[in-house]
Amino acid sequence: MDVKTAFLHGSIKEEVYMEQPEGFDRKYHVCRLKKALYGLKQAPRAWYERIDSYLMKLGFTRSEADPNLYFKVEDDKPLILVLYVDDLFRTGADPLIHKCKRELASEFEMKDQGLEVWQKPREIFLSQGKYVVKILERFDMMDCKPVTTSRILTFRSYMVVMSDQTWEMPLSFKNSFALMFLVNLRLNICFAVSTVSSYLVEPHFINARNLLRCLQDTISHGLRYIAGDVRLLEYINVDWAGSVVDRKSTSGCFTLGSASISWMSRKQKSVALSTAEAECIVASMTSCEAVWLRKLFSELFGFTLDTTVILYNNQRWDLIIEESRIHRLLQQIDIIWGMVS
């Protein structure tokens, strides 16, 4: 569920004044704000305090592992709620979900998101097929030729395409925010959406078009979760110095049970000077993610997961160890590798 005009619900504690809106002609007067407005630095915090106090009033307990996760148990039935800015995701027993929806709708104006859930005995399937169709129709790509992968052009290839003066870019592609919501269930387009969203002023039309063609081929795809043994595995990879702007590496992290539950595609904060260093950095990042997930599982379900296995390409480190000599990268092992182990 999405809360409409979420930041306007927050109350501010500081004295904040603003100029009179257009249409008011009382000279030498200003307005003192009683509620938060979009653009105020205090607005996100004020909204969080507002929704946090209301959820606690409804009987939810805030998680110690993640302050944006709330849970409660009624009649031995659990209800879990995740808050992401103005989006609320709920899971649990159906009666509690409907009750929570009514209580939230009585306090805030809300609308449902485009998330589809199919439940079977010991199985849950999540999809965004209707939302994908809506996006394809919006960009006039419903009848396009589908492709199996969302390939991304390199910077040089893209500049060759953009140099063609006869090529025109539709104005509708200047809004790439519609694609960001798809990353919630489609980990295969994380990098593509990240690349397209990095150029909002002059978006990568060719990359965006290829991405939509990939969505056309995977409308019915989703995530299927099957009940069984829960084992936490992490598969990681890194694109060393893949960004031509700042030469930072892009890290990929996928944590799997019966299906994916956590993934990312983002640039590292520092510039790695070798593939070995980039791999060591991403291994440290995924280790932090694993610690957080294990703590979260323990708090919500009361059991400890088995040993988490991290799978990644570390051939370069094996060669460094086999060489049996001092290497400049070994200076980082005590810090970074200490986190991994």
Side-chain angles (χ1 to χ4, degrees), residues 31-307:
C31 300
R32 179 179 177 180
L33 295 180
K34 295 183 178 180
K35 294 284 187 177
L37 290 177
Y38 281 85
L40 284 180
K41 294 181 179 180
Q42 301 94 327
R45 181 64 182 178
W47 157 243
Y48 176 78
E49 292 178 350
R50 176 74 174 85
I51 187 66
D52 176 75
S53 61
Y54 185 71
L55 291 176
M56 300 295 283
K57 181 181 177 181
L58 295 180
F60 282 91
T61 301
R62 188 190 312 111
S63 170
E64 295 182 0
D66 190 337
N68 292 317
L69 187 144
Y70 300 82
F71 61 91
K72 70 175 180 178
V73 179
E74 291 185 6
D75 299 329
D76 295 331
K77 296 180 180 179
L79 176 62
I80 301 175
L81 185 146
V82 179
L83 171 66
Y84 183 75
V85 191
D86 58 348
D87 295 327
L88 297 170
F89 301 91
R90 297 152 298 142
T91 183
D94 287 340
L96 295 182
I97 291 178
H98 296 310
K99 178 183 177 182
C100 178
K101 182 178 180 179
R102 291 193 301 268
E103 291 174 338
L104 290 171
S106 64
E107 186 73 12
F108 309 104
E109 186 178 359
M110 313 189 75
K111 64 178 180 180
D112 290 329
Q113 296 280 26
L115 187 65
E116 305 163 40
V117 181
W118 285 273
Q119 288 184 309
K120 296 180 181 179
R122 301 177 60 82
E123 180 181 334
I124 297 177
F125 181 77
L126 303 179
S127 177
Q128 293 175 300
K130 294 181 180 179
Y131 186 74
V132 173
V133 172
K134 182 179 178 181
I135 290 180
L136 293 175
E137 292 176 346
R138 177 175 167 189
F139 293 143
D140 296 327
M141 295 285 289
M142 194 63 197
D143 298 327
C144 66
K145 183 179 180 180
V147 295
T148 56
T149 59
S150 56
R151 64 186 182 92
I152 296 297
L153 290 179
T154 62
F155 181 78
R156 293 182 178 86
S157 300
Y158 180 75
M159 293 308 294
V160 171
V161 175
M162 290 295 292
S163 63
D164 185 1
Q165 299 299 325
T166 62
W167 179 79
E168 296 181 0
M169 180 180 61
L171 295 177
S172 58
F173 275 98
K174 291 188 176 181
N175 182 10
S176 62
F177 291 102
L179 300 174
M180 295 182 182
F181 184 64
L182 292 174
V183 181
N184 292 331
L185 292 183
R186 295 172 178 262
L187 61 162
N188 61 313
I189 65 172
C190 281
F191 179 72
V193 173
S194 175
T195 301
V196 172
S197 303
S198 300
Y199 300 90
L200 295 181
V201 179
E202 295 182 358
H204 283 196
F205 168 71
I206 301 299
N207 290 333
R209 185 181 63 182
N210 292 332
L211 175 57
L212 293 178
R213 292 174 63 191
C214 177
L215 293 178
Q216 166 69 0
D217 187 63
T218 59
I219 293 178
S220 61
H221 287 202
L223 296 177
R224 176 175 283 107
Y225 298 94
I226 302 175
D229 295 335
V230 178
R231 186 183 180 187
L232 200 58
L233 294 176
E234 297 195 24
Y235 299 85
I236 61 178
N237 200 356
V238 61
D239 176 23
W240 175 55
S243 174
V244 297
V245 178
D246 51 17
R247 286 304 177 187
K248 290 185 178 180
S249 305
T250 302
S251 300
C253 164
F254 310 96
T255 304
L256 307 176
S258 59
S260 303
I261 61 174
S262 176
W263 53 88
M264 69 176 181
S265 177
R266 67 181 63 165
K267 289 196 295 185
Q268 297 178 357
K269 295 182 179 180
S270 58
V271 178
L273 301 180
S274 66
T275 55
E277 185 176 352
E279 291 170 357
C280 198
I281 293 175
V282 70
S284 177
M285 294 170 58
T286 54
S287 297
C288 296
E289 181 83 2
V291 171
W292 171 73
L293 285 172
R294 293 177 64 87
K295 183 178 180 180
L296 189 63
F297 269 82
S298 177
E299 181 180 13
L300 290 178
F301 307 111
F303 68 89
T304 303
L305 295 173
D306 293 335
T307 303

Side-chain angles (χ1 to χ4, degrees), residues 291-339:
V291 171
W292 171 73
L293 285 172
R294 293 177 64 87
K295 183 178 180 180
L296 189 63
F297 269 82
S298 177
E299 181 180 13
L300 290 178
F301 307 111
F303 68 89
T304 303
L305 295 173
D306 293 335
T307 303
T308 301
V309 179
I310 301 177
L311 304 175
Y312 74 107
N313 184 7
N314 60 351
Q315 295 180 1
R316 177 57 178 165
W317 283 104
D318 292 338
L319 294 176
I320 293 175
I321 294 175
E322 291 176 0
E323 290 175 358
S324 300
R325 62 184 179 86
I326 302 299
H327 195 279
R328 63 176 184 81
L329 291 177
L330 298 180
Q331 299 175 2
Q332 305 178 22
I333 288 183
D334 288 341
I335 299 175
I336 300 180
W337 194 261
M339 183 63 208

